[in-house]
Amino acid sequence: ARIVGKIEAAKRYPRSARRMGIQGTATVRFRLKPNGQLEKVELVESSGSKILDDASLETVREAAPLPFKEGWLKVGIVFKIL
């Protein structure tokens, strides 16, 4: 829950995507080093938009360091215009 909270806090909706009305959910998976820094991050499932996919990967990078958990962690990053 703390990991998801930090990721949500780091999320920035790209202006260009918002302006074009692009919405979607990208699924990202990542592994952490014991110090909470990212070891690896990759896109598992596209949002259908390269802008949002890139923003999702950047969101996880910006959220680090994160509380350490062993193994691959997977999270869906939702970009929705409210």
Side-chain angles (χ1 to χ4, degrees):
R2 284 182 33 224
I3 290 175
V4 172
K6 280 198 80 175
I7 290 171
E8 280 297 311
K11 184 169 70 175
R12 300 290 174 263
Y13 206 130
R15 271 198 198 104
S16 56
R18 187 185 293 271
R19 207 172 30 249
M20 292 185 283
I22 299 171
Q23 302 183 99
T25 302
T27 304
V28 175
R29 75 178 194 151
F30 56 95
R31 288 176 65 99
L32 297 171
K33 298 176 186 173
N35 67 0
Q37 294 296 336
L38 288 174
E39 183 178 306
K40 187 166 176 71
V41 60
E42 55 192 35
L43 188 69
V44 178
E45 194 173 320
S46 174
S47 65
S49 162
K50 180 167 176 19
I51 297 170
L52 296 185
D53 292 348
D54 290 347
S56 297
L57 293 168
E58 185 59 27
T59 294
V60 174
R61 289 186 195 108
E62 286 292 319
L66 294 163
F68 179 71
K69 275 188 100 165
E70 192 76 45
W72 284 99
L73 305 173
K74 192 161 37 167
V75 65
I77 300 178
V78 179
F79 291 93
K80 187 169 177 70
I81 299 170
L82 301 174

